[in-house]
């Protein structure tokens, strides 16, 4: 779990969640003690010696669990005002609905119950909002950010500092070397958390950095920092030897069997649950434009083997009349009115559940690209073929961390996340990706 938290959940977000659960518990506990524990709470928890405390803890934890898949513990949401407000409003609605549905075991809904529910939900949500307002303050985030000393060639160091400006990287701040002194005492006086070597350093400096590492100061290469704290692979320093000698990539037969069983069970369940939605989508497609309901296309699967992918048709029937594959662009005129909605909500990808059941895809994995684009990108981007060593997925680490790509540079950025998944894939990471996908679907992140 420690490795999982370090790799997949930023430490600052984990601390934020713990603080919010604790404060929400205190606020709800005070409210319940002042106004009295409602009958529906004490009745469902009457076997406990402290039903009020148990109810407060359960409600506080439940509120945080509802906020998790919405993205309220993701840096890219918390640091973006345009996304934070709608995410918070959606959390409020879901919290209220959950308390209404599960708060009364007898199923009876009364005005008093609704008022109690709104009061408790608002208390927890107000606490979360307050914590985020405080956390977003520059003075707070700057004090929480970990100072990092970046060493190496000027160009390499500048590239790495630019990478720290990403939302996930803002939990760290690059600092200058204190008067050219890299001794352990000097770095400790400046409060430097660790050292990152963007490239090699000269022997005198190397000796000083080695002394710092042996004294307990974190010292990492740029590649190791990318892997551990930015949850991506550093493509700038990636070599074949580096991949051969790197940890990870291996996966046992037991994990593979569990993933396959999970794919089958959840895909069948999802097909049954979304069947009415799929029938409605099929009818809307037929009414909106001429052409077939489903769209079949060749995609590159595991080890590059081609397979036929199934999707709802979201473009005009003659979208590629020129016979040449084209990337989808913003406001692409080929997309139909119904297709634009389906792409934003990802409904067009539901038929791919059939591909998952057939074993051609998985629920989680790199996005399946067209063979034409795979060959094109493999010529321009080193190690691009290595992403095909796992089954493609309905969703993936690249999809939840980077918006839709329609260029070679976009494909290179997404490859950094795809290779990270190939290296670190676990059931836990799959769960993190599936929860993050809920946020992506709800807010149409990266849809095109």
């Amino acid at each position: 779990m420690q490795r999982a938290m370090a790799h997949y959940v930023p430490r600052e977000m984990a601390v934020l969640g713990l603080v919010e659960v604790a404060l929400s518990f205190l606020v709800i506990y005070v409210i319940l003690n002042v106004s009295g524990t409602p009958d529906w709470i004490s009745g469902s928890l009457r076997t406990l010696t402290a039903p009020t405390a148990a109810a407060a803890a359960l409600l506080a934890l439940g509120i945080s669990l509802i906020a998790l898949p919405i993205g309220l513990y993701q840096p890219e949401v918390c640091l973006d005002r345009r996304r934070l407000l709608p995410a918070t409003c959606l959390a409020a609605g879901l919290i209220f609905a959950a308390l209404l549905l599960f708060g009364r075991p007898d199923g009876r809904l009364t005005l008093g119950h609704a008022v109690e529910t709104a009061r408790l939900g608002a208390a927890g949500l107000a606490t979360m909002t307050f914590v985020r307002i405080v956390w977003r303050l520059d003075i707070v985030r700057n004090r929480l950010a970990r100072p990092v000393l970046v060493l190496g060639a000027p160009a390499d160091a500048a590239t790495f500092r630019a990478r720290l400006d990403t939302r996930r990287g803002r939990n760290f701040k690059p600092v200058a070397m204190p008067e050219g002194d890299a001794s352990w005492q000097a770095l400790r006086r400046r409060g430097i958390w660790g050292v990152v070597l963007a490239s090699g350093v000269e022997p005198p400096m190397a000796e000083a950095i080695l002394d710092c590492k042996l004294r307990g100061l974190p010292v990492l290469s740029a590649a190791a920092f990318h892997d551990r704290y930015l949850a991506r692979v550093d493509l700038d320093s990636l070599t074949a030897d580096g991949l051969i000698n790197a940890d990870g990539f291996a996966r046992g037969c037991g994990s593979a069997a569990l993933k396959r069983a999970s794919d089958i069970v959840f895909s069948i369940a999802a097909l049954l649950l979304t069947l009415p939605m799929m029938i409605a989508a099929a009818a809307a497609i037929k009414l909106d434009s001429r052409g077939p309901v489903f769209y079949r296309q060749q995609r590159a699967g595991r080890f590059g083997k081609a397979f036929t992918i199934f999707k709802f048709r979201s473009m005009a029937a003659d979208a590629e009349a020129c016979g040449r594959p084209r990337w989808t662009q913003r406001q692409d005129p080929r997309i139909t009115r119904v297709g634009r909605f389906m792409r934003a909500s990802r409904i067009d990808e539901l038929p791919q559940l059939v591909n998952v059941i057939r074993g051609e895809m998985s629920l989680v994995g790199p996005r399946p690209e067209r063979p034409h684009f795979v060959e094109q990108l493999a010529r321009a981007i080193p190690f691009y073929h290595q992403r095909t060593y796992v089954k493609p997925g309905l969703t993936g680490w690249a999809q939840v961390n980077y918006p839709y790509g329609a260029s070679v540079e976009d494909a290179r950025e997404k490859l950094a996340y795809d290779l990270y998944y190939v290296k670190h894939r676990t059931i836990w990471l799959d769960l993190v990706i599936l929860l993050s996908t809920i946020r992506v679907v709800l807010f149409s992140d990266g849809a095109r």
Side-chain angles (χ1 to χ4, degrees):
M1 180 62 73
Q2 183 179 2
R3 175 186 173 278
M5 292 295 290
H7 275 262
Y8 315 139
V9 181
R11 183 190 71 172
E12 290 72 14
M13 294 293 98
V15 171
L16 179 70
L18 292 174
V19 170
E20 286 184 345
V21 170
L23 289 180
S24 295
F25 166 77
L26 290 175
V27 171
I28 295 174
Y29 182 74
V30 169
I31 291 176
L32 292 178
N33 273 283
V34 170
S35 60
T37 306
D39 293 337
W40 59 274
I41 290 181
S42 58
S44 59
L45 299 171
R46 60 179 177 270
T47 58
L48 299 176
T49 56
T52 301
L58 189 62
L59 289 171
L61 184 60
I63 289 171
S64 293
L65 289 177
I66 290 173
L68 178 63
I70 297 173
L72 287 174
Y73 296 111
Q74 294 291 332
E76 57 268 29
V77 175
C78 292
L79 293 174
D80 190 337
R81 291 187 180 88
R82 293 173 301 178
R83 298 166 74 179
L84 181 59
L85 179 59
T88 304
C89 293
L90 178 62
L94 291 178
I95 290 168
F96 182 72
L99 290 175
L100 278 180
L101 289 175
F102 301 109
R104 294 198 70 94
D106 57 11
R108 291 184 295 107
L109 298 178
T110 64
L111 179 60
H113 173 220
V115 172
E116 293 167 357
T117 297
R119 181 186 60 184
L120 294 172
L125 197 66
T127 304
M128 295 176 64
T129 304
F130 172 75
V131 172
R132 275 170 177 72
I133 291 174
V134 173
W135 184 77
R136 282 176 55 88
L137 296 176
D138 289 338
I139 187 173
V140 175
R141 285 198 293 111
N142 287 336
R143 289 188 67 86
L144 291 176
R146 287 174 269 184
V148 173
L149 176 62
V150 183
L151 300 177
D156 296 328
T159 299
F160 181 81
R161 292 190 190 99
R163 181 60 62 186
L164 288 184
D165 196 39
T166 62
R167 289 193 175 97
R168 186 180 284 263
R170 289 180 194 171
N171 295 323
F172 301 86
K173 60 179 179 181
V175 297
M177 189 159 57
E179 300 177 357
D181 184 4
S183 67
W184 183 79
Q185 292 83 358
L187 299 189
R188 298 301 293 175
R189 281 197 304 269
R190 287 287 303 274
I192 291 176
W193 168 82
V195 178
V196 175
L197 303 178
S199 58
V201 294
E202 297 299 323
M205 180 67 69
E207 292 178 6
I209 298 304
L210 177 59
D211 177 69
C212 292
K213 182 172 184 176
L214 294 177
R215 290 176 180 270
L217 196 73
V219 178
L220 303 96
S221 66
F225 188 94
H226 275 74
D227 187 89
R228 187 174 302 176
Y229 296 107
L230 301 184
R232 66 196 303 277
V233 169
D234 181 20
L235 297 180
D236 294 328
S237 63
L238 190 62
T239 63
D241 287 343
L243 283 174
I244 291 171
N245 296 316
D247 294 331
F249 296 106
R251 192 169 190 195
C253 295
S255 297
L258 178 60
K259 183 176 175 68
R260 178 62 183 144
S262 301
D263 284 342
I264 294 174
V265 171
F266 286 110
S267 295
I268 292 175
L271 273 176
L272 295 176
L273 290 173
T274 60
L275 185 59
M277 184 189 304
M278 294 174 71
I279 293 174
I285 292 170
K286 290 301 280 184
L287 292 173
D288 182 56
S289 61
R290 63 177 181 84
V293 170
F294 295 102
Y295 180 66
R296 297 173 178 83
Q297 191 179 74
Q298 288 291 295
R299 295 291 176 98
R302 193 180 185 192
F303 304 127
K305 182 180 178 181
F307 71 97
T308 302
I309 199 173
F310 302 102
K311 298 179 68 175
F312 281 123
R313 181 176 59 83
S314 60
M315 290 188 175
D318 57 351
E320 289 186 348
C322 61
R324 209 165 28 87
R326 293 163 51 191
W327 268 318
T328 305
Q329 304 297 325
R330 291 188 181 277
Q331 304 300 321
D332 198 312
R334 298 175 297 167
I335 301 176
T336 64
R337 291 173 298 177
V338 170
R340 198 166 300 281
F341 170 77
M342 288 196 303
R343 281 173 170 263
S345 59
R346 303 304 201 274
I347 293 176
D348 64 317
E349 298 184 358
L350 287 177
Q352 293 174 36
L353 291 168
V354 175
N355 293 113
V356 177
I357 295 172
R358 290 169 54 167
E360 298 158 335
M361 292 178 62
S362 177
L363 287 176
V364 178
R367 176 183 173 85
E369 292 289 357
R370 300 174 70 173
H372 170 83
F373 291 139
V374 170
E375 294 303 320
Q376 178 184 9
L377 293 171
R379 289 193 296 269
I381 306 172
F383 305 106
Y384 190 81
H385 272 305
Q386 275 62 40
R387 68 192 290 276
T388 66
Y389 277 66
V390 299
K391 286 182 182 179
L394 275 171
T395 184
W397 193 235
Q399 288 93 305
V400 301
N401 281 283
Y402 195 83
Y404 183 92
S407 68
V408 173
E409 185 55 38
D410 286 337
R412 189 176 187 276
E413 284 295 309
K414 298 189 81 167
L415 177 63
Y417 295 104
D418 282 334
L419 290 182
Y420 178 89
Y421 177 78
V422 175
K423 182 179 181 181
H424 294 291
R425 63 191 188 278
T426 61
I427 295 299
W428 169 256
L429 179 55
D430 284 359
L431 179 60
V432 171
I433 292 171
L434 289 172
L435 290 175
S436 299
T437 302
I438 298 175
R439 163 182 57 84
V440 172
V441 171
L442 289 174
F443 299 108
S444 303
D445 283 357
R448 187 171 296 184

